[in-house]
Amino acid sequence: MKLTSKGRYAVMALVDLAKFNDINPVSLRDISLRQGISLDYLEQIFSKLRKKAIVQSVRGNQGGYVLNKKANEIKLTNIFDAVDEKVKTVQCKKESKKGCNGKLTKCLTHNLWDELENHINDFFEKKSLEDLIKDNIERRI
Amino acid sequence: MKLTSKGRYAVMALVDLAKFNDINPVSLRDISLRQGISLDYLEQIFSKLRKKAIVQSVRGNQGGYVLNKKANEIKLTNIFDAVDEKVKTVQCKKESKKGCNGKLTKCLTHNLWDELENHINDFFEKKSLEDLIKDNIERRI
DNA sequence: TAGATACTTGACTATTTTAGTCAGGTTTAT
DNA sequence: ATAAACCTGACTAAAATAGTCAAGTATCTA
């Protein structure tokens, strides 16, 4: 299992944004330079974040992005959801409620994968952007 | 993040194997039929499981595979390790100890990804094949 | 001892996903 | 006006995935 860079970048960029989010909006250009993420790629990512109301955009010269909610209200879940980073352990989710792989019973390990998904999603549900920033300040590196 | 089918199949096949593992070895052909996994693919997977001493092979007519350890000694970690299913959250692991992305400091979210990896690996460390079989019998579906 | 069963290995490949790039906009502060 | 910065959609190279295919080797059973 691995995390895609889209999800990882989204979180990195938002932490960066939250950190520099004082009076002026933060430009993607700055984030791009600080975090070493391609500007074009960032634009794709922020377009999705904006559609999910996680950030707000300010157009024009000296524009940029601003958080649209308080940092403690933005969970990892929300971020990953916005950029389509999903936790997928089975294919058999969407099929008939009864069984998997076209069979009548659930596959032998169905419960396991469900548990795993929940285990991971719990983690994402508990972590907020605020937690990340705090952790960052404390470590100061 | 998603689980690859190689990892998923490995676990499914081992649960199947453990379930039918009485006196005779279990043939891959049977597992293939019961679980709907391609025989050729299963062979690849079991070759790896054998190299990591998770199963033992019995060649010849009426041959097949047998667990090489007790079911409670086989953790998900061991299985995933055998088939190269790894939990990867960052690219910056192998780089210089000090920083990420060629920088001097750790990336803003490095700790987070570490935590996430540990969180997931904990789950794999705790679940044994025995747990899965028990769960299966209790549910009886 | 012939033959069938089943393990063993390695190479090959189509498909999908990822991780972007690129081009051509539009908006707005100064 | 013009530059900064957002905005959008299409495109693509490279990697990973999910297998298939071919050609074995070992050993049980009749």
Side-chain angles (χ1 to χ4, degrees):
Chain A
M1 327 190 60
K2 66 167 188 271
L3 195 68
T4 65
S5 68
K6 186 168 273 183
R8 192 157 19 86
Y9 287 168
V11 177
M12 285 171 68
L14 282 174
V15 172
D16 182 289
L17 176 59
K19 215 175 148 190
F20 289 88
N21 190 23
D22 38 17
I23 303 154
N24 302 314
V26 180
S27 75
L28 291 190
R29 187 159 183 283
D30 287 351
I31 297 178
S32 164
L33 290 172
R34 280 194 295 260
Q35 302 303 326
I37 304 168
S38 132
L39 179 59
D40 282 319
Y41 206 19
L42 273 179
E43 278 170 355
Q44 269 185 50
I45 293 168
F46 272 77
S47 165
K48 294 180 181 218
L49 293 174
R50 194 178 58 77
K51 278 172 191 157
K52 292 284 182 171
I54 292 171
V55 294
Q56 248 189 338
S57 69
V58 180
R59 301 192 111 196
N61 197 345
Q62 301 300 317
Y65 284 92
V66 190
L67 288 186
N68 196 34
K69 298 172 183 176
K70 285 176 189 160
N72 64 6
E73 288 169 352
I74 301 175
K75 309 288 184 192
L76 282 193
T77 304
N78 308 132
I79 301 172
F80 285 149
D81 177 56
V83 298
D84 302 309
E85 172 87 41
K86 288 187 190 106
V87 178
K88 280 170 70 179
T89 55
V90 268
Q91 259 71 49
C92 37
K93 273 292 170 58
K94 288 170 302 188
E95 297 178 27
S96 74
K97 297 292 173 201
K98 283 184 180 176
C100 306
N101 309 323
K103 295 179 182 172
L104 287 173
T105 58
K106 281 190 191 169
C107 54
L108 249 38
T109 47
H110 196 106
N111 274 21
L112 173 67
W113 309 129
D114 265 357
E115 274 183 62
L116 175 57
E117 263 190 43
N118 291 337
H119 183 76
I120 298 174
N121 283 323
D122 274 355
F123 184 89
F124 294 155
E125 196 67 52
K126 278 176 192 149
K127 284 275 176 189
S128 74
L129 208 49
E130 193 179 38
D131 298 330
L132 300 181
I133 297 161
K134 273 186 187 163
D135 178 58
N136 216 260
I137 292 167
E138 279 162 23
R139 291 190 301 117
R140 206 168 273 126
I141 56 164
Chain B
M1 326 191 61
K2 67 167 189 270
L3 196 67
T4 65
S5 69
K6 187 168 273 182
R8 192 159 17 88
Y9 287 168
V11 176
M12 285 171 69
L14 282 175
V15 172
D16 183 289
L17 176 59
K19 214 176 150 190
F20 289 88
N21 188 25
D22 38 15
I23 304 153
N24 302 313
V26 180
S27 74
L28 292 189
R29 186 158 184 285
D30 287 351
I31 296 178
S32 162
L33 290 172
R34 280 194 294 261
Q35 301 304 325
I37 303 168
S38 132
L39 181 56
D40 281 319
Y41 206 19
L42 273 179
E43 279 169 353
Q44 270 186 51
I45 291 168
F46 273 77
S47 165
K48 294 181 180 219
L49 293 174
R50 194 178 59 76
K51 278 173 192 157
K52 292 283 182 173
I54 291 170
V55 295
Q56 250 190 335
S57 69
V58 179
R59 302 192 109 196
N61 197 345
Q62 302 299 316
Y65 284 91
V66 190
L67 288 186
N68 196 34
K69 297 173 181 175
K70 284 175 189 160
N72 64 6
E73 288 169 352
I74 302 175
K75 309 288 184 192
L76 282 194
T77 304
N78 308 130
I79 302 171
F80 285 149
D81 178 56
V83 299
D84 301 310
E85 172 88 39
K86 289 187 190 103
V87 178
K88 281 168 71 179
T89 54
V90 267
Q91 260 71 48
C92 38
K93 274 292 170 58
K94 288 170 301 188
E95 296 177 28
S96 75
K97 297 291 174 202
K98 284 185 180 176
C100 305
N101 308 325
K103 295 179 184 171
L104 288 172
T105 58
K106 281 191 193 169
C107 53
L108 249 38
T109 48
H110 196 107
N111 273 22
L112 173 67
W113 310 129
D114 264 357
E115 275 182 62
L116 174 56
E117 262 189 43
N118 291 336
H119 184 76
I120 298 174
N121 282 323
D122 274 355
F123 184 90
F124 294 156
E125 195 68 51
K126 276 175 192 150
K127 282 276 175 189
S128 75
L129 208 51
E130 194 180 37
D131 298 331
L132 300 181
I133 298 161
K134 273 186 186 162
D135 178 60
N136 217 260
I137 292 168
E138 278 161 24
R139 291 189 301 117
R140 205 167 272 124
I141 55 165

